[in-house]
Amino acid sequence: MHYAMAAGVTASAAGGLWTSKAAMAAPKRGGTFRLGTHDGNTSDTHDPGTYLSFSIIQLAHTYRSYLTQITPTNELGPDAAASWSATDDATEWTFKLQKGASFHSGKPFTADDAIASLNHHRGEKSTSAAKALLKDVVDIVKDDEHTITIKLASGNADLPWLMTDYHLAMCPANSDGTIDWQSGDGTGPYKIVHNEFGVGSKLERHDGWHGEGAYFDAVEMTVLNDPNARQTALVTGQIDGITQLELKTLSLLKRNPNILVDNVPSGAAITMPMFCDVAPFDNVDVRTALKLAIDREDIIKKITFDTAIPGNDFHISPNMPYWPDLPQRTYDPDKAKFHLKKAGQENLTVDLSTADSVYSGAVDMCVLYAEHAKAAGITINVNREPNDGYYSEVWLKKPFCMVQWGARPTPDVMLSLAYKDDAAWNESHWQNERFNELLLAAKAELDQEKRAAQYREMAQLARDDGGTIIPMFTNFVYARAKNVAHGENLAASWQMDGARACSRWWFDS
């Protein structure tokens, strides 16, 4: 099984921006790390069920903890849970909690807190955005003060991975079984001393932190939604790191000797779903022709400035578990013509919807695709839709459009969301009986070799029969001052080392 390549090594190959000297430095303690983040809102709250913006995700991983975490090498590691195990059919998972872990208030972290924290996202009255993730959980029981067992309606080999979801933060339990999210108390590496949502936060190291890291004495997060303001603040030394670079300025920053750029391949993807139950996309030869008519390498070079890797029309990136190394589909207009002739659709004309807000350069990307497709005799009319309401009025409504997906921790989460026959977000309306059989079987399969074979067959089916073009998986691109160091690898789950830069990084000088 190919299991999540080392992100840092790949970043070097992809962008040439990796700095091995900083990566090899030993961690040092001290200093205040000033981080500029994007996507911060005054409507953000401490309620983990409402977490949505990127800024709150960064903050959440700094002041709260989770049962498990995605490590810098993209493997599953312990956080508030020290270990876990399952029954043979994966219907019951037992988590042993960290003994000695505590909240910032001094309250010990116990099984009652873990159960209440997870139950916050369960039940009819729950309004949590993570409610669907725990829909198969039928009960959570306390085995002892530091052990819980989660019981499921059906087997799920990925449950410990789901515990990394940014909503499932550990919070102190109230006496009635609810959680005290309002106080902002947490068991994370830093405790909040001042916070104003949409503006920024100040935090100090939590002396009771149960994990490794937390090298900085303090952390200051400042919301800088404007990309130019973020970049200027870094260049002028007002802050030490920033999230999400404007790709058009990447080459400029590379020439600055005081700035280091991290360019990390991820599982985030651009998709172009075609409704498989709407003509002409109901013909698999038409779908195949449109997959062959796009020059992925050209798009990556001209639109992303080499900060992406080619997609292969199945939604498992090389940075996800169970990635199958299938032959890469390449631009082949002559072969596309063959499939169009077979379908009786020579001189095909289709409409493709997109919007500026979908991705940096989204409209330009679709126009470039239309130019590629001309060589296959395909006319693609690019429709520039309004940014406002794109995901409510265009996505899932129009038969051929462009979409950006965030990274998901496992193939099961991604495929169940957007490719399962009855999924609400089955964006291509694709129906494949064998695919759905495999998806159900793989979810409960604990034998890694069998599971890898199942995902490989699913990927092949999606690539050859599915209704989704996946031109590329996009990188996380962010920057830091040259005196900020990190380990050899960077997690690919979120920007800034899986949103844990504040606890994993340190000042090198």
Side-chain angles (χ1 to χ4, degrees):
M1 177 180 68
H2 180 94
Y3 202 91
M5 69 179 63
V9 173
T10 308
S12 178
L17 306 176
W18 182 255
T19 303
S20 58
K21 181 180 178 181
M24 298 303 292
K28 298 176 181 177
R29 290 172 69 91
T32 297
F33 181 55
R34 302 164 299 172
L35 176 64
T37 66
H38 70 285
D39 190 23
N41 305 282
T42 55
S43 58
D44 291 336
T45 79
H46 283 305
D47 180 356
T50 69
Y51 287 170
L52 181 63
S53 72
F54 182 81
S55 280
I56 194 67
I57 292 171
Q58 289 290 323
L59 181 63
H61 285 84
T62 305
Y63 81 111
R64 283 177 168 156
S65 61
Y66 298 79
L67 288 184
T68 57
Q69 66 172 309
I70 295 175
T71 69
T73 52
N74 294 317
E75 297 169 296
L76 191 66
D79 190 348
S83 63
W84 48 91
S85 59
T87 54
D88 290 342
D89 60 0
T91 59
E92 293 190 12
W93 283 89
T94 297
F95 290 83
K96 298 283 187 181
L97 307 181
Q98 299 276 5
K99 294 180 179 178
S102 65
F103 289 94
H104 305 151
S105 61
K107 178 183 180 300
F109 171 65
T110 68
D112 292 330
D113 302 307
I115 293 171
S117 296
L118 295 178
N119 282 339
H120 183 66
H121 309 277
R122 298 179 58 224
E124 293 183 3
K125 294 183 179 178
S126 175
T127 59
S128 170
K131 188 175 177 178
L133 288 177
L134 302 182
K135 67 178 182 180
D136 288 338
V137 175
V138 295
D139 199 8
I140 306 175
V141 298
K142 176 180 177 180
D143 300 324
D144 61 40
E145 199 66 9
H146 292 96
T147 308
I148 65 170
T149 294
I150 301 176
K151 299 183 178 183
L152 305 169
S154 58
N156 187 345
D158 284 341
L159 187 75
W161 286 89
L162 295 184
M163 294 297 112
T164 68
D165 183 85
Y166 60 90
H167 300 94
L168 307 182
M170 295 296 104
C171 298
N174 293 317
S175 58
D176 62 357
T178 62
I179 58 169
D180 168 24
W181 58 260
Q182 296 88 344
S183 66
D185 199 4
T187 56
Y190 291 88
K191 59 182 178 182
I192 293 175
V193 295
H194 176 76
N195 178 62
E196 186 174 354
F197 288 116
V199 179
S201 310
K202 293 184 178 181
L203 306 97
E204 295 177 347
R205 185 191 294 120
H206 172 37
D207 292 333
W209 167 237
H210 54 268
E212 297 179 355
Y215 302 113
F216 300 117
D217 293 334
V219 171
E220 293 182 6
M221 291 189 185
T222 302
V223 175
L224 296 168
N225 287 327
D226 181 77
N228 292 325
R230 281 199 307 281
Q231 183 168 314
T232 299
L234 178 64
V235 170
T236 58
Q238 299 175 61
I239 55 178
D240 306 302
I242 59 171
T243 62
Q244 189 157 303
L245 290 186
E246 174 61 61
L247 296 180
K248 292 178 181 177
T249 64
L250 187 58
S251 60
L252 184 65
L253 273 185
K254 286 171 64 177
R255 294 197 293 269
N256 189 323
N258 297 316
I259 303 297
L260 299 173
V261 177
D262 293 301
N263 180 11
V264 184
S266 79
I270 297 296
T271 67
M272 293 178 172
M274 303 171 276
F275 283 177
C276 295
D277 52 357
V278 173
F281 309 113
D282 56 349
N283 188 311
V284 67
D285 283 298
V286 169
R287 301 198 295 268
T288 302
L290 286 163
K291 292 173 181 175
L292 290 164
I294 187 168
D295 188 339
R296 301 154 206 261
E297 297 288 353
D298 194 38
I299 284 174
I300 289 171
K301 179 180 180 181
K302 294 176 179 174
I303 302 299
T304 77
F305 304 95
D306 293 321
T307 60
I309 54 177
N312 202 13
D313 303 328
F314 58 84
H315 211 138
I316 305 174
S317 91
N319 298 289
M320 294 171 70
Y322 308 107
W323 174 70
D325 189 11
L326 298 178
Q328 175 64 49
R329 176 168 281 138
T330 57
Y331 181 50
D332 192 338
D334 290 335
K335 197 171 182 180
K337 286 181 179 178
F338 165 79
H339 284 280
L340 289 177
K341 185 175 182 180
K342 187 178 175 184
Q345 291 283 353
E346 291 165 293
N347 302 315
L348 176 72
T349 298
V350 296
D351 293 337
L352 173 61
S353 292
T354 187
D356 293 311
S357 61
V358 174
Y359 181 72
S360 177
V363 175
D364 291 341
M365 174 180 162
C366 290
V367 171
L368 187 56
Y369 175 26
E371 290 298 316
H372 298 153
K374 286 179 180 176
I378 301 173
T379 299
I380 297 178
N381 299 317
V382 177
N383 293 332
R384 186 178 203 158
E385 308 279 0
N387 291 330
D388 187 25
Y390 183 81
Y391 282 99
S392 61
E393 303 301 326
V394 177
W395 181 55
L396 302 178
K397 302 282 180 64
K398 298 199 173 184
F400 192 25
C401 68
M402 180 181 176
V403 181
Q404 181 177 199
W405 283 88
R408 297 296 190 278
T410 67
D412 179 70
V413 174
M414 189 65 245
L415 301 180
S416 297
L417 272 175
Y419 298 87
K420 191 171 182 291
D421 52 358
D422 60 352
W425 289 352
N426 181 354
E427 59 181 1
S428 69
H429 299 184
W430 183 49
Q431 301 289 320
N432 187 295
E433 185 176 353
R434 176 59 178 164
F435 177 90
N436 288 290
E437 290 175 357
L438 289 164
L439 185 60
L440 187 63
K443 187 171 187 175
E445 182 59 67
L446 291 176
D447 184 304
Q448 297 301 309
E449 290 189 5
K450 289 182 180 177
R451 205 168 189 224
Q454 290 165 332
Y455 281 118
R456 182 182 183 84
E457 185 177 348
M458 279 186 271
Q460 189 78 57
L461 288 169
R463 179 182 183 276
D464 297 342
D465 183 66
T468 304
I469 303 169
I470 303 182
M472 59 189 179
F473 292 97
T474 56
N475 294 2
F476 293 137
V477 187
Y478 43 86
R480 56 195 157 95
K482 69 176 183 180
N483 66 330
V484 178
H486 56 58
E488 184 175 358
N489 300 296
L490 293 166
S493 50
W494 290 101
Q495 291 210 21
M496 309 303 291
D497 203 355
R500 291 178 181 262
C502 295
S503 59
R504 290 176 177 169
W505 297 6
W506 63 91
F507 286 123
D508 191 40
S509 59

